[in-house]
Amino acid sequence: MQYAAYVFDAYGTLFDVHAAVRRHADRIGPDGQLLSEIWRAKQLEYSWVRTLMGAYADFWQLTEQALDFALRKVPSADPGLKAILLDAYWRLDCYPEVPAVLKALKASGARLAILSNGSPEMLQAAVKSAALDQVLDDIYSVDTVRRFKTDPAVYDMVATGWRLYPGAVSFQSSNRWDIAGATKFGFRTVWINRSNQPEEYRDFPPALILPSLEALVPGS
């Protein structure tokens, strides 16, 4: 079914969060994958804890703090690489199918947006680096509501901003917890299960599970 509005999570869905570490894998050494996984896990943990505490700090601050923790946790990685890893995070690779899928959806007449925990500056940099700025209608950052996903106020930014009922929006995310939050809010959800993770949050199921974004385009 074709929808009039498609909204995408950014990190892990459009942009590869592990690209920053992979870009400098030769300098990091054999524990690069572990470093990247800890960095990502802590980044998300900090967002959830701060939302529960009512103590907002933007996603760039959390990204830096999470990397500090990861570098301490993985002593084989040189902490002197912090600056270049953070710089690489501003220019994360998008997944290979992303440009073509977004262009095809845009050509069909659909409205397209990002809805992300990222700060406005982070998102603008990533979108520009991947040359996606010409196909997106809007970029919604949680910075507006100063709460992170899965707070309902985050998802409501789209419904209110576009004056749409939640059920008219197709929301795509690779993060199952994000899909649960968006489903609870009322979006039609598509879980982009890139790494073949097991199902969870079964009381808030997605409408569809896909291994990538490609199948969003009819006939692909």
Side-chain angles (χ1 to χ4, degrees):
M1 180 178 177
Q2 191 79 4
Y3 278 72
Y6 289 83
V7 177
F8 299 85
D9 168 61
Y11 298 110
T13 304
L14 299 180
F15 306 110
D16 184 352
V17 294
H18 300 295
V21 167
R22 193 166 55 246
R23 193 173 298 167
H24 300 288
D26 56 333
R27 299 179 64 182
I28 295 169
D31 293 326
Q33 182 176 348
L34 175 62
L35 178 76
S36 193
E37 289 173 354
I38 294 173
W39 186 6
R40 175 61 170 169
K42 282 294 175 179
Q43 181 194 51
L44 294 175
E45 178 189 323
Y46 295 163
S47 74
W48 299 326
V49 171
R50 283 187 170 274
T51 294
L52 288 168
M53 292 193 302
Y56 181 78
D58 75 37
F59 204 55
W60 183 248
Q61 294 180 63
L62 305 192
T63 299
E64 185 170 0
Q65 292 167 10
L67 179 56
D68 286 338
F69 177 89
L71 287 168
R72 292 194 299 269
K73 188 72 173 175
V74 183
S76 64
D78 179 6
L81 297 175
K82 175 182 174 180
I84 66 167
L85 289 172
L86 288 174
D87 181 67
Y89 211 91
W90 288 92
R91 297 173 286 105
L92 294 175
D93 299 333
C94 69
Y95 288 99
E97 83 278 10
V98 168
V101 169
L102 295 192
K103 286 175 185 176
L105 291 174
K106 183 72 172 177
S108 75
R111 298 173 74 179
L112 307 181
I114 283 174
L115 175 64
S116 173
N117 278 340
S119 70
E121 295 79 11
M122 291 174 71
L123 294 169
Q124 289 289 351
V127 165
K128 185 175 181 180
S129 177
L132 301 178
D133 45 325
Q134 298 303 310
V135 293
L136 292 168
D137 295 290
D138 282 297
I139 299 174
Y140 291 98
S141 166
V142 299
D143 215 48
T144 300
V145 295
R146 298 179 67 82
R147 281 169 276 178
F148 291 103
K149 296 174 179 178
T150 56
D151 192 293
V154 173
Y155 306 104
D156 189 55
M157 286 193 293
V158 174
T160 299
W162 280 358
R163 297 183 179 180
L164 291 173
Y165 289 111
V169 175
S170 180
F171 178 75
Q172 289 65 227
S173 179
S174 65
N175 302 299
R176 186 61 183 88
W177 51 268
D178 191 13
I179 288 295
T183 299
K184 173 67 165 58
F185 179 73
F187 286 160
R188 180 261 195 177
T189 56
V190 182
W191 180 24
I192 309 302
N193 189 6
R194 294 189 179 277
S195 54
N196 196 30
Q197 294 296 307
E199 172 66 307
E200 53 186 336
Y201 304 106
R202 291 181 180 275
D203 46 342
F204 298 106
L208 193 61
I209 302 173
L210 300 174
S212 75
L213 293 169
E214 286 180 303
L216 290 177
V217 179
S220 62

